[in-house]
Amino acid sequence: MFANRAHEDVLLAGKNLGLLDVLARRLADAEWVRRRKRALANLFSARKSLTATLDDGKPLAVTGAGYCRVECLSGRAWVTAEDVARDFALAPGQRLVLADGGRIVVNAVKGTARVRLRWA
């Protein structure tokens, strides 16, 4: 009985589609969905970087970045890393390398700061 039912399911695949099946297929074929998937894949894939402009009081937190380099491009940035005994203040052009894969929080100090994070 189960073998026949499985065979019927294979034969009927693609036929008698329900409304949700049709919507799911159209959504998967949509160009904007593919663009969003590529953007997210690029953002969270290994050996990438993230550049952000931070306002005072609005931190950027990254978890599990592994080997991470934080570079201050403009303004001043305050970096706090999990399992590191001290915090770091970065001026424009300064870099900080963190080898631990814990949580990293980057804040702007007095105004805005532009930072770049690179991880492997």
Side-chain angles (χ1 to χ4, degrees):
M1 178 177 161
F2 289 109
N4 292 339
R5 177 61 187 211
H7 183 66
E8 286 177 18
D9 288 343
V10 170
L11 292 176
L12 292 175
K15 297 179 184 175
N16 299 328
L17 295 177
L19 179 62
L20 291 177
D21 295 324
V22 171
L23 289 175
R25 283 188 180 180
R26 286 187 181 169
L27 187 63
D29 291 338
E31 177 62 28
W32 65 271
V33 172
R34 286 193 296 256
R35 281 191 304 236
R36 298 297 187 287
K37 284 181 183 179
R38 283 193 302 268
L40 286 173
N42 289 337
L43 180 63
F44 294 108
S45 59
R47 292 185 221 161
K48 293 293 179 179
S49 67
L50 170 70
T51 303
T53 301
L54 306 174
D55 291 324
D56 195 17
K58 295 185 179 176
L60 170 68
V62 178
T63 304
Y67 176 86
C68 183
R69 184 177 80 188
V70 181
E71 180 180 2
C72 183
L73 302 174
S74 67
R76 293 185 58 81
W78 187 267
V79 181
T80 303
E82 188 176 55
D83 297 331
V84 176
R86 59 177 281 226
D87 293 346
F88 303 92
L90 300 177
Q94 290 184 325
R95 295 178 183 149
L96 171 66
V97 176
L98 300 165
D100 190 10
R103 183 178 175 157
I104 300 166
V105 179
V106 183
N107 286 304
V109 177
K110 293 183 182 176
T112 61
R114 188 158 173 79
V115 296
R116 178 182 298 133
L117 281 77
R118 294 180 187 259
W119 58 89

